[in-house]
């Protein structure tokens, strides 16, 4: 029995190691594909974001707080985040990107825009989403919010504070935004973590309105679309939002054209 337990444990370790090797291999493969075929990747990103509907935020010198979610997360968390922005970060714009929203949610947001006119609230949405080869819808929601963020940053000409939908703004963010404005991209680093998909946390990402930041998020978008088309078969699933941010960070450090702010 003891030997069987040891063998089972060894098999699990070998399986996990093979999974990690696959993760690294496919990240490198898809990153090289994006780099070697930039026009093809750019067209794929353009075609994807052309599906986005709604009104983009106006330019805001104080930044735009951005989050994305489906109907369930909007009902459970999204409105609370908007109210916390109204209480604590009213100078910022607030933009919501919705995945297949209900008519009731869109009506509620329109009513909130009318009720809180000093909030600068806006929203966009996607309908009839193609989840591609991704094994879980959540992988699309978490990763492709940054693809939507690329379009929102481009349209609004503003710094974006990208948050998870279940966040709350408890204190003023103006000093954070002022500090981050001196850089291109702000990331929450955990580089000592061993796993590729844990080295950067994705619950808060700051993207300044600069060309290097746009290049960073465009590269990430191309990488995400590769996984959307061909997600590898692995024993355990990995979330491509955090691993994609890490690969985009490494690529940017090699190019030495993107400056990073540590959140």
């Amino acid at each position: 029995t003891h030997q069987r337990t040891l063998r089972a444990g060894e098999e699990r370790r070998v399986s996990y190691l093979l999974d990690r090797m696959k993760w690294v291999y496919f990240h490198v493969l898809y990153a090289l594909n994006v780099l070697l075929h930039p026009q093809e990747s750019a067209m794929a990103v353009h075609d994807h974001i052309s599906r986005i509907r709604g009104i983009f935020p106006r330019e805001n010198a104080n930044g735009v707080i951005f989050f994305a979610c489906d109907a369930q997360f909007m009902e459970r968390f999204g409105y609370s985040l908007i109210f916390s922005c109204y209480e604590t970060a009213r100078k910022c714009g607030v933009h919501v990107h919705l995945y297949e929203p209900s008519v009731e949610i869109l009506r509620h947001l329109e009513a909130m825009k009318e009720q809180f006119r000093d909030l600068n609230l806006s929203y966009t949405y996607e309908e009839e989403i193609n989840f591609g080869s991704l094994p879980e819808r959540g992988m699309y929601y978490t990763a492709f919010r940054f693809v939507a963020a690329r379009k929102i940053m481009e349209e609004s000409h503003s710094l974006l504070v990208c948050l998870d939908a279940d966040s709350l703004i408890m204190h003023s963010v103006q000093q954070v935004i002022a500090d981050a404005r001196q850089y291109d991209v702000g990331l929450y680093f955990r580089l000592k973590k061993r796993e590729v998909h844990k080295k950067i946390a994705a619950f808060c990402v700051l993207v300044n309105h600069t060309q290097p930041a746009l290049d960073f998020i465009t590269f990430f978008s191309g990488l995400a679309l590769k996984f959307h088309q061909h997600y590898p078969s692995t024993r355990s699933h990995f979330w491509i939002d955090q691993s994609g941010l890490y690969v985009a960070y490494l690529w940017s450090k090699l190019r030495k054209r993107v400056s990073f702010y540590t959140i």
Side-chain angles (χ1 to χ4, degrees), residues 61-76:
N62 297 297
V64 174
I65 296 170
F66 162 77
F67 69 96
C69 61
D70 63 358
Q72 181 181 3
F73 263 62
M74 187 64 199
E75 295 285 0
R76 187 174 178 187

Side-chain angles (χ1 to χ4, degrees), residues 73-144:
F73 263 62
M74 187 64 199
E75 295 285 0
R76 187 174 178 187
F77 302 112
Y79 296 122
S80 296
L81 175 51
I82 293 173
F83 289 135
S84 75
C85 292
Y86 186 75
E87 291 293 329
T88 317
R90 201 175 307 177
K91 292 181 179 179
C92 300
V94 179
H95 186 82
V96 189
H97 184 68
L98 296 158
Y99 302 115
E100 300 178 327
S102 65
V103 173
E104 289 75 17
I105 287 176
L106 296 181
R107 287 174 178 168
H108 194 173
L109 286 171
E110 283 296 326
M112 291 179 72
K113 287 173 64 176
E114 187 68 24
Q115 185 177 359
F116 305 106
R117 292 187 177 183
D118 53 340
L119 181 59
N120 296 317
L121 174 64
S122 56
Y123 64 88
T124 48
Y125 56 93
E126 300 175 47
E127 294 180 310
E128 299 180 356
I129 296 172
N130 173 14
F131 294 96
S133 64
L134 297 176
E136 294 185 20
R137 289 189 170 202
M139 292 179 180
Y140 182 93
Y141 297 154
T142 54
F144 280 79

Side-chain angles (χ1 to χ4, degrees), residues 110-259:
E110 283 296 326
M112 291 179 72
K113 287 173 64 176
E114 187 68 24
Q115 185 177 359
F116 305 106
R117 292 187 177 183
D118 53 340
L119 181 59
N120 296 317
L121 174 64
S122 56
Y123 64 88
T124 48
Y125 56 93
E126 300 175 47
E127 294 180 310
E128 299 180 356
I129 296 172
N130 173 14
F131 294 96
S133 64
L134 297 176
E136 294 185 20
R137 289 189 170 202
M139 292 179 180
Y140 182 93
Y141 297 154
T142 54
F144 280 79
R145 57 182 163 163
F146 298 118
V147 183
R150 182 197 181 282
K151 178 67 173 176
I152 292 158
M153 178 184 70
E154 197 173 28
E155 293 287 338
S156 68
H157 303 283
S158 303
L159 180 147
L160 295 188
V161 181
C162 308
L163 298 176
D164 280 355
D166 57 352
S167 304
L168 290 173
I169 304 293
M170 303 300 293
H171 305 282
S172 172
V173 295
Q174 286 308 304
Q175 188 58 55
V176 173
I177 290 174
D179 293 340
R181 201 177 292 284
Q182 303 172 52
Y183 302 85
D184 298 307
V185 177
L187 297 172
Y188 190 95
F189 293 106
R190 303 184 298 187
L191 299 178
K192 292 184 179 180
K193 296 279 189 180
R194 294 179 61 189
E195 295 90 342
V196 171
H197 61 294
K198 292 184 179 180
K199 289 182 177 291
I200 290 176
F203 64 83
C204 181
V205 174
L206 276 69
V207 187
N208 204 352
H209 183 245
T210 65
Q211 187 58 49
L214 185 62
D215 292 341
F216 174 90
I217 208 73
T218 299
F219 175 83
F220 173 92
S221 300
L223 188 63
L225 280 167
K226 291 298 177 186
F227 279 107
H228 178 266
Q229 295 162 5
H230 305 289
Y231 188 90
S233 175
T234 55
R235 180 180 62 88
S236 58
H237 297 156
F238 60 92
W239 294 80
I240 59 175
D241 57 336
Q242 298 190 153
S243 61
L245 287 172
Y246 179 59
V247 173
Y249 165 73
L250 292 178
W251 166 75
S252 301
K253 292 292 283 186
L254 288 172
R255 295 176 75 239
K256 298 181 180 178
R257 295 180 184 174
V258 181
S259 58

